[in-house]
Amino acid sequence: MRSRLVLPRWSRFYILDAENRPVQVLDQDEWSRWMAENELIFRRTLMEDCGVVVTTRFRGVSEPAPKDTPLFVTRVVGKVAEENESYGACTLEEALEQHEQLVQKLIRALRAAHR
Protein backbone atom coordinates (compact mmCIF):
# COMPACT_ATOMS: atom_id res chain seq x y z
CA MET A 1 0.00 0.00 0.00
CA ARG A 2 1.34 3.40 -0.98
CA SER A 3 1.16 6.31 1.40
CA ARG A 4 -0.16 9.58 0.03
CA LEU A 5 2.11 12.58 -0.13
CA VAL A 6 0.73 15.26 2.15
CA LEU A 7 1.59 18.78 1.05
CA PRO A 8 1.68 21.65 3.53
CA ARG A 9 -1.38 23.90 3.50
CA TRP A 10 -0.42 27.40 2.43
CA SER A 11 -2.53 29.96 4.17
CA ARG A 12 -1.10 33.26 2.97
CA PHE A 13 -0.92 34.31 -0.67
CA TYR A 14 0.87 37.37 -2.02
CA ILE A 15 1.12 39.35 -5.23
CA LEU A 16 3.40 42.30 -5.99
CA ASP A 17 2.31 45.92 -6.18
CA ALA A 18 3.63 48.43 -8.75
CA GLU A 19 6.84 48.87 -6.71
CA ASN A 20 7.38 45.08 -6.45
CA ARG A 21 6.39 44.97 -2.78
CA PRO A 22 4.43 41.92 -1.59
CA VAL A 23 0.74 42.51 -0.85
CA GLN A 24 -1.35 39.77 0.77
CA VAL A 25 -4.50 38.69 -1.06
CA LEU A 26 -7.26 36.61 0.48
CA ASP A 27 -8.71 35.24 -2.76
CA GLN A 28 -6.71 32.23 -4.00
CA ASP A 29 -8.23 32.56 -7.49
CA GLU A 30 -7.03 36.18 -7.70
CA TRP A 31 -3.58 35.01 -6.60
CA SER A 32 -3.53 32.20 -9.18
CA ARG A 33 -4.47 34.59 -12.00
CA TRP A 34 -1.84 37.12 -10.95
CA MET A 35 0.87 34.43 -10.73
CA ALA A 36 -0.03 33.14 -14.21
CA GLU A 37 -0.11 36.59 -15.81
CA ASN A 38 3.06 38.12 -14.35
CA GLU A 39 6.78 37.51 -14.69
CA LEU A 40 8.01 35.88 -11.50
CA ILE A 41 11.73 35.72 -12.35
CA PHE A 42 13.63 38.94 -11.65
CA ARG A 43 17.14 37.84 -12.50
CA ARG A 44 18.75 34.78 -14.06
CA THR A 45 22.49 34.37 -14.49
CA LEU A 46 23.78 31.50 -16.61
CA MET A 47 27.40 30.66 -15.84
CA GLU A 48 28.30 28.37 -18.72
CA ASP A 49 31.94 27.89 -17.63
CA CYS A 50 30.91 26.11 -14.44
CA GLY A 51 27.49 24.79 -15.49
CA VAL A 52 25.56 26.79 -12.90
CA VAL A 53 22.40 28.89 -13.13
CA VAL A 54 21.46 31.44 -10.46
CA THR A 55 17.79 32.47 -10.51
CA THR A 56 15.94 34.96 -8.30
CA ARG A 57 12.15 34.78 -8.32
CA PHE A 58 9.01 35.67 -6.40
CA ARG A 59 7.37 32.73 -4.56
CA GLY A 60 4.05 34.33 -3.69
CA VAL A 61 3.19 32.02 -0.78
CA SER A 62 3.99 32.07 2.90
CA GLU A 63 3.64 29.25 5.38
CA PRO A 64 1.23 29.71 8.28
CA ALA A 65 3.96 30.21 10.85
CA PRO A 66 4.69 32.78 13.55
CA LYS A 67 7.62 34.01 11.46
CA ASP A 68 7.08 35.08 7.86
CA THR A 69 8.45 32.82 5.17
CA PRO A 70 10.67 34.68 2.69
CA LEU A 71 8.64 35.51 -0.41
CA PHE A 72 11.64 35.80 -2.74
CA VAL A 73 14.04 32.96 -3.39
CA THR A 74 17.42 32.80 -5.07
CA ARG A 75 18.28 29.33 -6.28
CA VAL A 76 21.69 28.07 -7.38
CA VAL A 77 21.41 25.03 -9.65
CA GLY A 78 24.45 23.15 -10.94
CA LYS A 79 25.43 19.95 -12.65
CA VAL A 80 25.95 18.20 -9.33
CA ALA A 81 23.13 17.89 -6.77
CA GLU A 82 25.43 19.17 -4.00
CA GLU A 83 25.67 22.49 -5.85
CA ASN A 84 21.90 23.09 -5.62
CA GLU A 85 20.98 25.56 -2.88
CA SER A 86 18.17 28.01 -2.16
CA TYR A 87 18.28 31.28 -0.23
CA GLY A 88 15.24 33.23 0.92
CA ALA A 89 14.74 36.98 1.21
CA CYS A 90 11.86 39.13 2.43
CA THR A 91 12.24 41.93 -0.12
CA LEU A 92 13.18 42.11 -3.77
CA GLU A 93 16.12 44.39 -2.93
CA GLU A 94 17.53 41.82 -0.49
CA ALA A 95 17.00 39.04 -3.02
CA LEU A 96 18.78 40.89 -5.83
CA GLU A 97 21.70 41.76 -3.54
CA GLN A 98 21.90 38.12 -2.50
CA HIS A 99 21.84 37.09 -6.18
CA GLU A 100 24.75 39.37 -6.98
CA GLN A 101 26.77 38.17 -3.99
CA LEU A 102 26.27 34.54 -5.01
CA VAL A 103 27.28 35.23 -8.61
CA GLN A 104 30.42 37.06 -7.45
CA LYS A 105 31.28 34.19 -5.10
CA LEU A 106 30.95 31.70 -7.97
CA ILE A 107 33.11 33.89 -10.24
CA ARG A 108 35.83 34.05 -7.58
CA ALA A 109 35.69 30.26 -7.12
CA LEU A 110 35.88 29.73 -10.89
CA ARG A 111 38.90 32.03 -11.20
CA ALA A 112 40.65 30.31 -8.30
CA ALA A 113 40.07 26.91 -9.91
CA HIS A 114 41.70 28.08 -13.15
CA ARG A 115 44.90 29.34 -11.49
Side-chain angles (χ1 to χ4, degrees), residues 25-92:
V25 293
L26 301 177
D27 182 349
Q28 189 173 353
D29 290 334
E30 175 187 357
W31 174 81
S32 294
R33 279 190 304 278
W34 189 92
M35 293 294 280
E37 295 170 358
N38 288 275
E39 180 60 51
L40 305 177
I41 296 173
F42 284 89
R43 189 165 296 157
R44 176 175 282 141
T45 305
L46 171 62
M47 304 182 74
E48 291 179 1
D49 292 344
C50 60
V52 172
V53 178
V54 180
T55 305
T56 296
R57 68 184 309 272
F58 178 64
R59 291 181 59 195
V61 292
S62 179
E63 297 176 24
K67 187 172 133 181
D68 285 338
T69 304
L71 293 171
F72 296 90
V73 65
T74 298
R75 181 141 173 87
V76 179
V77 179
K79 295 178 193 175
V80 183
E82 292 81 32
E83 295 173 338
N84 300 338
E85 297 182 63
S86 294
Y87 305 88
C90 294
T91 67
L92 178 58

Side-chain angles (χ1 to χ4, degrees), residues 91-102:
T91 67
L92 178 58
E93 293 77 20
E94 290 173 19
L96 294 175
E97 177 62 29
Q98 190 173 62
H99 183 107
E100 186 60 30
Q101 289 173 358
L102 289 165

Side-chain angles (χ1 to χ4, degrees), residues 2-10:
R2 283 183 135 167
S3 64
R4 288 179 45 199
L5 177 64
V6 178
L7 298 175
R9 285 195 73 184
W10 300 108

